[in-house]
């Protein structure tokens, strides 16, 4: 059975066609600059040359049409017609408090996605366009919504509740949701198997570290807590996001700089994080190079990032009353050996011991703790598309 996975951003569309008989990627690609001049589709199929099409894509509907053309292309394609696609799985950012489990799309699901545009203004509109474009291109083929907030929605009430007047929570669905859900779902489940933990009781902390970063704690694959909140702004220091900050900072900057709340939130989302601290870059590779050249602000930015990660790990060890395994994933987590080592240097109290030789690798599923380490530490590359495909298969 072949399942098409679609991940629509505000101006992009990533896709993978996965053969679920062996969970292999048959083809994958990216549509860039949707609705912007210079649109391009890059298509990669197993055993075939890359296929690049530069053509205007005014909407996601056009992008889906081009994806279908590429998948069925005589030279570069991998299917004869769309009937070979059993279902389409969509990463959808937000369903508020209405849906948490993955679901086959119907009119009510689309209504909820639309009603949550204000909770996910960049992603939800694009997610809905992707669903409707697939419905048009493949009438009758099931579409499944896999919520990016789904993993965090399993948090207990004590973890997701904000200490604000309850009327606002009820009226506006204000609570902690958590994001990067499909990544945390996939990695936490794989850690249980890879580390040989009890599938019902294994305590796992997943560090999804990249330009956007989040940490989750789970027991038996079920979320106990996760660092992002109502929006992806809460939690760790990130590439351009501030992470946790005293809310009074917003008022202070507004008053001193003559800015409104929206302007300051834009600063906290797009001009803060390690970029704001360093003044150099939001790319951790650039920061590492600058720090090695003696740039003090770049050095401090990296130290702040590592410190915040270590603090969250400590908090989640307390939340679960212990931890069996810690996994690093995503761009920085999978590829930056120094960040992994620096984070783990804070964890001696847990009996963590890192094998430097094992840690000297990139993007590979590998145990990096020593046999004597009291907590298993590993690199486990994320695979959000496969997580979405598995959820889609389960439903159809």
């Amino acid at each position: 059975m072949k399942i098409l996975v679609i991940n629509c951003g505000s101006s992009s569309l990533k896709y993978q066609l996965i053969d679920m008989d062996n969970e292999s990627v048959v083809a994958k690609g990216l549509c860039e600059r949707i609705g912007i001049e210079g649109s391009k589709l890059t298509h990669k199929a197993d055993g075939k040359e890359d296929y690049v099409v530069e053509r205007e894509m005014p909407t996601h509907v056009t992008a889906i049409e081009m994806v279908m053309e590429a998948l069925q292309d005589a030279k570069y394609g991998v299917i004869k017609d769309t009937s070979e696609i059993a279902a389409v799985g969509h990463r959808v950012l937000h369903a508020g408090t209405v849906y948490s489990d993955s679901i086959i799309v119907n009119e009510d699901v689309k209504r909820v996605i639309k009603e949550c545009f204000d909770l996910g203004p960049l992603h939800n509109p694009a997610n809905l366009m992707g669903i409707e474009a697939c419905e048009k291109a493949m009438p009758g083929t099931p579409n499944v919504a896999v919520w990016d907030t789904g993993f965090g929605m399993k948090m207990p009430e004590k973890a997701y509740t904000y200490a604000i007047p309850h009327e606002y929570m009820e009226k506006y669905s204000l609570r902690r949701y958590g994001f990067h859900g499909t990544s945390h779902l996939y990695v936490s489940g794989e850690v249980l198997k890879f580390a040989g933990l009890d599938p019902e009781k294994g305590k796992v902390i997943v560090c999804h570290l990249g330009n956007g970063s989040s940490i989750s704690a789970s027991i038996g694959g079920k979320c106990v807590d996760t660092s992002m909140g109502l929006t992806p702004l809460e939690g760790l220091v990130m590439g351009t996001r501030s992470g946790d900050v005293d809310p009074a900072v917003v008022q202070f900057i507004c008053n001193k700089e003559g800015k409104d709340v929206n302007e300051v939130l834009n600063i906290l989302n797009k001009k803060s994080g390690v970029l704001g601290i360093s003044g150099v870059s939001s790319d951790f590779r650039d920061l590492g190079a600058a720090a090695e050249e003696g740039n003090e602000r770049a050095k401090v930015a990296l130290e702040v990032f590592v410190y915040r990660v270590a603090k969250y790990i400590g908090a989640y060890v307390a939340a679960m009353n212990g931890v069996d395994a810690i996994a690093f994933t995503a761009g920085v987590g999978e590829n930056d050996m120094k960040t992994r080592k620096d984070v783990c240097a804070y964890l001696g109290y847990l009996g963590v011991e890192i094998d430097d030789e094992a840690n000297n690798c990139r993007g590979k599923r590998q145990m990096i703790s020593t046999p004597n380490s009291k907590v298993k530490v590993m690199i486990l590359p994320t695979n959000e598309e496969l997580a979405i495909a598995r959820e889609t298969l389960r439903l159809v």
Side-chain angles (χ1 to χ4, degrees):
M1 177 186 287
K2 293 185 179 70
I3 288 176
L4 179 64
V5 175
I6 298 289
N7 184 348
C8 287
S10 57
S11 62
S12 66
L13 185 156
K14 293 190 291 184
Y15 65 93
Q16 285 191 10
L17 184 65
I18 301 176
D19 185 343
M20 296 307 293
D21 291 339
N22 54 16
E23 295 191 337
S24 63
V25 178
V26 180
K28 63 182 179 179
L30 171 66
C31 296
E32 302 174 82
R33 301 178 66 84
I34 299 171
I36 305 171
E37 188 176 344
S39 307
K40 180 174 73 172
L41 178 147
T42 303
H43 174 83
K44 302 173 184 286
D46 191 30
K48 300 188 178 185
E49 296 177 26
D50 290 357
Y51 178 46
V52 178
V53 181
E54 296 186 8
R55 190 196 309 165
E56 291 305 306
M57 299 180 213
T59 68
H60 287 74
V61 173
T62 308
I64 290 289
E65 290 171 352
M66 290 176 63
V67 169
M68 295 305 159
E69 289 173 8
L71 289 172
Q72 298 172 81
D73 185 85
K75 183 176 180 181
Y76 302 102
V78 291
I79 58 174
K80 291 182 179 179
D81 59 66
T82 57
S83 65
E84 293 183 43
I85 299 173
V88 185
H90 298 263
R91 175 187 178 270
V92 184
L93 184 75
H94 232 301
T97 58
V98 181
Y99 294 115
S100 58
D101 294 326
S102 303
I103 188 170
I104 295 176
V105 174
N106 55 31
E107 290 304 311
D108 188 66
V109 171
K110 290 192 286 184
R111 175 189 62 80
V112 170
I113 294 171
K114 190 170 185 178
E115 288 180 354
C116 291
F117 279 6
D118 58 343
L119 289 173
L122 293 179
H123 293 88
N124 266 42
N127 300 153
L128 183 58
M129 282 189 281
I131 289 170
E132 291 180 335
C134 287
E135 288 177 335
K136 181 180 178 182
M138 295 175 284
T141 300
N143 287 271
V144 171
V146 180
W147 312 105
D148 196 52
T149 54
F151 184 76
M153 286 290 287
K154 304 299 191 296
M155 282 186 282
E157 188 173 11
K158 64 184 179 184
Y160 70 67
T161 299
Y162 283 122
I164 59 176
H166 190 70
E167 63 188 272
Y168 298 138
M169 295 188 67
E170 288 192 329
K171 190 185 296 185
Y172 303 116
S173 300
L174 295 181
R175 54 158 282 170
R176 300 184 63 250
Y177 289 96
F179 298 89
H180 295 147
T182 50
S183 176
H184 287 291
L185 173 69
Y186 174 80
V187 176
S188 59
E190 292 296 304
V191 168
L192 293 172
K193 293 183 283 186
F194 185 61
L197 303 180
D198 185 325
E200 301 295 325
K201 298 179 181 178
K203 298 176 179 179
V204 174
I205 293 174
V206 173
C207 302
H208 178 112
L209 307 181
N211 194 273
S213 295
S214 60
I215 296 184
S216 70
S218 61
I219 298 177
K222 184 177 180 180
C223 183
V224 171
D225 206 340
T226 188
S227 58
M228 287 178 167
L230 174 70
T231 75
L233 184 58
E234 186 179 352
L236 299 178
V237 171
M238 306 177 217
T240 64
R241 296 185 186 119
S242 65
D244 296 337
V245 66
D246 183 341
V249 168
V250 176
Q251 181 191 41
F252 190 91
I253 295 174
C254 285
N255 291 339
K256 291 292 186 180
E257 297 289 327
K259 299 181 183 297
D260 65 26
V261 171
N262 292 324
E263 289 178 289
V264 176
L265 284 178
N266 187 60
I267 290 168
L268 293 182
N269 269 296
K270 298 181 179 179
K271 298 180 181 179
S272 300
V274 293
L275 170 64
I277 297 170
S278 70
V280 173
S281 176
S282 62
D283 190 305
F284 286 80
R285 293 166 295 187
D286 296 340
L287 290 176
E292 287 183 7
E293 292 171 1
N295 187 308
E296 278 300 313
R297 285 174 61 188
K299 181 182 176 184
V300 169
L302 292 172
E303 288 176 346
V304 169
F305 176 76
V306 166
Y307 179 66
R308 187 70 65 86
V309 172
K311 279 211 317 183
Y312 262 95
I313 290 173
Y316 288 167
V317 172
M320 296 190 293
N321 194 17
V323 63
D324 298 310
I326 299 170
F328 290 92
T329 195
V332 174
E334 294 171 23
N335 297 299
D336 190 334
M337 63 190 77
K338 185 177 186 305
T339 293
R340 293 191 297 261
K341 184 173 181 178
D342 289 349
V343 169
C344 290
Y346 280 96
L347 308 180
Y349 68 97
L350 294 174
V352 167
E353 293 182 9
I354 297 301
D355 181 330
D356 289 338
E357 185 176 345
N359 186 43
N360 187 20
C361 71
R362 295 164 57 91
K364 180 182 178 183
R365 181 179 291 209
Q366 181 158 296
M367 198 70 67
I368 61 172
S369 52
T370 67
N372 293 327
S373 181
K374 293 182 180 178
V375 177
K376 295 180 178 181
V377 183
M378 66 207 70
I379 305 164
L380 209 152
T382 191
N383 193 334
E384 296 180 66
E385 289 78 14
L386 182 56
I388 292 169
R390 285 174 175 173
E391 285 292 283
T392 303
L393 178 65
R394 180 178 64 82
L395 288 169
V396 302

